[in-house]
């Protein structure tokens, strides 16, 4: 079973791409692991596909506390130099795959 569940804070504002028949929402989630001097932060790329994701994009600025579920995928593409590139990311479930846990922290 390929199932990923993550909670963390958005590292940057969500990015919405509007195509002819679908929307693509890209987010980067910062996830903490460990504690004290062993604490690490991992930044995970995640993507959601849907018909109208504009409201979600408006509600997910940098710093928003989120929970997401989906599956881990790896895709490939050829860059401008013709070299094969690999991208690993989370593909967010369309139904209930992204939950808002809190508003961005004020600086």
């Amino acid at each position: 079973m390929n199932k990923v569940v993550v909670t963390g804070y958005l590292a940057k504002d969500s990015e919405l791409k509007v195509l002819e028949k679908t929307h693509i929402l890209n987010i980067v989630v910062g996830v903490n692991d460990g504690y004290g001097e062993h604490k690490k932060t991992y930044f995970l790329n995640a993507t959601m596909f849907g018909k109208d994701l504009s409201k979600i994009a408006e509600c997910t600025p940098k710093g928003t506390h989120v929970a997401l579920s989906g599956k881990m995928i790896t895709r490939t593409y050829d860059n401008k130099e013709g070299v094969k590139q690999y991208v690993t990311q989370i593909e967010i479930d369309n139904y209930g795959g992204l939950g808002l846990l809190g508003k961005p922290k004020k600086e």
Side-chain angles (χ1 to χ4, degrees):
M1 177 186 263
N2 182 358
K3 185 71 170 177
V4 177
V5 178
V6 173
T7 63
Y9 293 90
L10 295 186
K12 62 180 188 175
D13 291 344
S14 59
E15 178 185 298
L16 180 64
K17 293 181 183 177
V18 179
L19 303 177
E20 189 174 315
K21 295 184 179 183
T22 189
H23 287 180
I24 302 170
L25 184 71
N26 293 309
I27 61 175
V28 178
V29 181
V31 178
N32 293 325
D33 185 31
Y35 57 93
E37 62 186 49
H38 301 289
K39 185 175 180 178
K40 295 180 183 179
T41 302
Y42 298 97
F43 295 96
L44 307 173
N45 295 316
T47 302
M48 184 176 208
F49 300 93
K51 289 194 177 198
D52 186 9
L53 302 176
S54 57
K55 292 291 185 190
I56 295 173
E58 290 174 13
C59 297
T60 51
K62 178 180 177 180
T64 302
H65 193 196
V66 297
L68 56 92
S69 65
K71 62 183 177 179
M72 190 67 69
I73 62 167
T74 300
R75 59 184 174 83
T76 61
Y77 68 93
D78 293 329
N79 66 13
K80 293 177 184 176
E81 291 80 32
V83 177
K84 186 175 273 194
Q85 300 291 307
Y86 295 87
V87 178
T88 300
Q89 65 189 54
I90 299 169
E91 188 174 290
I92 301 170
D93 293 336
N94 285 339
Y95 302 100
L98 178 66
L100 304 179
L101 301 177
K103 296 181 180 180
K105 296 178 181 178
K106 293 184 180 179
E107 298 179 29

